[in-house]
């Protein structure tokens, strides 16, 4: 975590006398699966509570799907009209352009110090924290217990076992033996989880992009040849299958296995699907690394409402509110206090496997100013690598070239 200065005290200590009639605009991502559990409900309740205690401040929240939210904020920034706050997937490019408040400009010291340390560190650019983690998750392999029991299968620990199980499930008529969502919604997550399980990843040990490493080429080639090429990933081409649709298919009982984050627990449970979870299989055993994902709250300087933003964010990051959001959407808390409370609570027992992984999970290279551009390219390109006429080596090589250019441009 970056060193904390006196500005942290000023940012979150409360509003001054000139704070009346201020409207703060927040653009946020939707974590729900439909109208019934849209994040709009969470933000409406939270802002009503905040505004009742702060009659001079109005919070205007607009919620967008994950397909649209990053683009919406980018377009606003490019037009010179950023919101006061944005809860999005990347922060570093905005920070490098001098558009964001530092975390200790807006948050009080106790609030900033409460972030899970690995997430706070991931929010730094040049040793200074700009990205404030908002929600987190890790990944495990979900499997449909009923389908497995009917087929006499046991959960896989290796790629070979996963493929063999998928073969049996296909013979049993399962629609998606293994669901491989490489569509544009969240292809970067599924891809990184697989690359990690093959001993690779987006960057090497020095933090340099390494899309075209031998390990990565081997992993994607295995996916193409052993899963997609053998018809084990279902009727929708992986490059066209979004994560939300894959999760919905699992909750409908149509998926044998898929990589999932905690929100799938509630989705499957509400539909009555009996499921189990195991660590992600690797090339020769359970993967030693798992993907960790956190989304970012950012505060833009444009409006100059630093104190009002800070006071509101201190409210947002209160322990009870962090716990409420995490429980509403089956996600992991980003603060130490809420994580400890969740770890002690019997009601949160299903989240323990995910929570235990969080401190050591590997995150996207979000501290790179090029990450937003590279992330967009992964979403658009990676599905082609496993298509019938696709070349893993070619696609990964193109992604590497894009990443190098984006990094150099910054």
């Amino acid at each position: 975590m970056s060193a904390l200065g006196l500005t942290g005290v000023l940012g979150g200590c409360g509003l001054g006398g000139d704070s009346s009639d201020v409207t703060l605009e927040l653009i946020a991502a939707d974590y729900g699966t439909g109208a019934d559990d849209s994040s709009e409900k969470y933000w409406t309740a939270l802002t009503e509570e905040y505004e009742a205690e702060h009659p001079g401040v109005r919070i205007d929240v607009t919620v967008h799907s994950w397909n649209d939210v990053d683009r919406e904020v980018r377009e606003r920034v490019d037009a010179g009209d950023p919101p006061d706050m944005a809860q999005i997937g990347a922060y570093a490019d905005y920070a490098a352009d001098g558009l964001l408040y530092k975390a200790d400009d807006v948050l009080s010291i106790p609030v900033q110090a409460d972030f899970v340390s690995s997430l706070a560190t991931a929010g730094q650019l040049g040793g200074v924290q700009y990205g404030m983690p908002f929600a987190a998750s890790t990944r495990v392999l979900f499997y449909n217990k009923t389908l497995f029991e009917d087929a006499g299968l046991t959960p896989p620990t290796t790629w070979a076992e996963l493929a063999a199980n998928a073969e049996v499930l296909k013979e049993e008529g399962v629609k998606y033996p293994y669901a491989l969502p490489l569509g544009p919604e969240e292809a970067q997550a599924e891809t990184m989880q697989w690359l990690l399980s093959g001993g690779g990843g987006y960057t090497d040990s020095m933090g340099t992009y390494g899309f075209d490493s031998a390990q990565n080429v081997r992993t994607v080639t295995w996916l193409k040849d052993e899963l997609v090429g053998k018809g084990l990933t279902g009727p929708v081409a992986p490059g066209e299958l979004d994560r939300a649709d894959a999760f919905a298919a699992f909750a409908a009982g149509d998926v044998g296995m898929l990589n999932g984050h905690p929100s799938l627990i509630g989705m499957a449970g509400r539909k009555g699907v009996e499921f189990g979870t195991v660590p992600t299989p690797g090339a020769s055993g359970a993967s030693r690394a798992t993907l960790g994902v956190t989304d970012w709250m950012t505060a833009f300087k444009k409006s100059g409402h630093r104190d009002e933003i800070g006071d509101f964010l201190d409210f947002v990051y209160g322990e009870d509110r962090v716990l409420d959001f995490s429980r509403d959407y089956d996600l992991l808390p980003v603060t130490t206090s809420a994580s400890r409370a969740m770890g002690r609570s019997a009601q949160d027992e299903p989240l323990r496997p995910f929570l235990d992984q969080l401190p050591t999970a590997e995150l996207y290279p979000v501290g790179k100013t090029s990450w937003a551009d590279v992330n967009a390219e992964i979403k658009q390109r990676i599905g082609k690598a496993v298509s019938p006429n696709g070349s893993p080596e070619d696609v990964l090589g193109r992604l590497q070239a894009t990443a190098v250019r984006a990094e150099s441009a910054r």
Side-chain angles (χ1 to χ4, degrees):
M1 183 171 290
S2 60
L4 301 174
L6 292 177
T7 54
V9 178
L10 298 174
C13 64
L15 304 179
D18 60 352
S19 61
S20 60
D21 300 323
V22 169
T23 296
L24 299 179
E25 184 183 8
L26 166 64
I27 293 178
D30 194 352
Y31 291 81
T33 58
D36 290 343
D37 65 347
S38 169
S39 295
E40 289 183 9
K41 292 187 174 182
Y42 173 82
W43 287 112
T44 296
L46 184 147
T47 55
E48 286 178 354
E49 181 183 358
Y50 182 81
E51 290 171 352
E53 298 176 11
H54 303 80
V57 181
R58 181 173 179 270
I59 311 297
D60 181 10
V61 183
T62 305
V63 175
H64 295 272
S65 77
W66 274 111
N67 284 335
D68 302 324
V69 67
D70 289 305
R71 184 184 69 250
E72 173 70 19
V73 173
R74 170 53 66 189
E75 290 174 353
R76 290 283 301 273
V77 170
D78 289 346
D81 182 33
D84 296 282
M85 296 163 286
Q87 185 262 302
I88 47 179
Y91 68 87
D93 51 342
Y94 299 131
D97 290 339
L99 301 177
L100 300 182
Y101 285 116
K102 296 180 290 186
D104 58 11
D105 284 337
V106 290
L107 296 178
S108 64
I109 288 175
V111 170
Q112 189 180 4
D114 195 28
F115 287 131
V116 174
S117 60
S118 60
L119 303 183
T121 299
Q124 294 180 0
L125 179 68
V128 177
Q129 186 180 357
Y130 293 92
M132 294 165 273
F134 183 75
S137 64
T138 59
R139 298 295 194 273
V140 298
L141 183 77
F142 283 73
Y143 64 96
N144 183 309
K145 279 188 174 181
T146 302
L147 296 178
F148 265 59
E149 290 173 1
D150 290 347
L153 299 175
T154 57
T157 60
T158 66
W159 292 353
E161 291 173 1
L162 185 149
N165 283 351
E167 287 275 12
V168 174
L169 292 170
K170 180 183 178 181
E171 293 171 1
E172 294 288 318
V174 175
K175 190 173 182 180
Y176 294 89
Y178 178 85
L180 182 66
L182 297 180
E185 180 191 6
E186 204 183 33
Q188 78 282 5
E190 181 74 9
T191 302
M192 185 167 167
Q193 183 63 58
W194 274 99
L195 298 184
L196 290 172
S197 73
Y202 289 152
T203 57
D204 61 23
S205 60
M206 301 300 292
T208 302
Y209 283 121
F211 282 94
D212 56 353
S213 70
Q215 297 97 317
N216 290 348
V217 171
R218 183 171 60 247
T219 297
V220 179
T221 299
W222 187 90
L223 284 173
K224 179 178 185 295
D225 294 345
E226 302 300 324
L227 287 186
V228 183
K230 294 183 178 180
L232 303 180
T233 55
V236 180
E240 299 174 7
L241 181 64
D242 280 338
R243 187 265 304 162
D245 294 332
F247 277 20
F250 187 87
D254 292 331
V255 175
M257 299 171 283
L258 84 171
N259 286 326
H261 58 62
S263 67
L264 186 53
I265 294 173
M267 289 182 63
R270 287 189 292 273
K271 295 291 188 177
V273 173
E274 293 289 331
F275 65 89
T277 62
V278 292
T280 304
S284 57
S287 177
R288 290 178 293 178
T290 191
L291 170 67
V293 176
T294 188
D295 306 315
W296 303 100
M297 181 69 75
T298 55
F300 287 87
K301 294 178 178 179
K302 179 75 173 181
S303 71
H305 294 141
R306 189 192 73 172
D307 288 352
E308 291 85 356
I309 292 171
D311 193 79
F312 176 65
L313 290 180
D314 272 6
F315 182 83
V316 168
Y317 283 109
E319 180 182 323
D320 289 344
R321 283 172 282 279
V322 172
L323 272 174
D324 286 346
F325 184 86
S326 301
R327 288 168 172 164
D328 284 351
Y329 296 100
D330 293 310
L331 292 166
L332 304 181
V334 296
T335 62
T336 301
S337 59
S339 294
R340 288 173 176 166
M342 181 173 280
R344 294 191 298 263
S345 172
Q347 79 177 86
D348 299 311
E349 181 67 31
L351 291 173
R352 296 277 169 75
F354 302 91
L355 191 63
D356 291 344
Q357 292 183 127
L358 185 59
T360 57
E362 296 199 27
L363 304 175
Y364 302 132
V366 290
K368 289 182 175 292
T369 56
S370 57
W371 171 243
D373 293 336
V374 173
N375 183 25
E377 283 295 303
I378 296 169
K379 292 179 177 183
Q380 293 302 316
R381 289 185 180 273
I382 196 64
K384 297 179 177 66
V386 298
S387 65
N389 297 320
S391 165
E393 191 167 8
D394 179 64
V395 170
L396 291 171
R398 289 175 181 269
L399 284 173
Q400 178 68 11
T402 297
V404 170
R405 284 196 302 271
E407 190 75 352
S408 298
R410 289 286 176 174

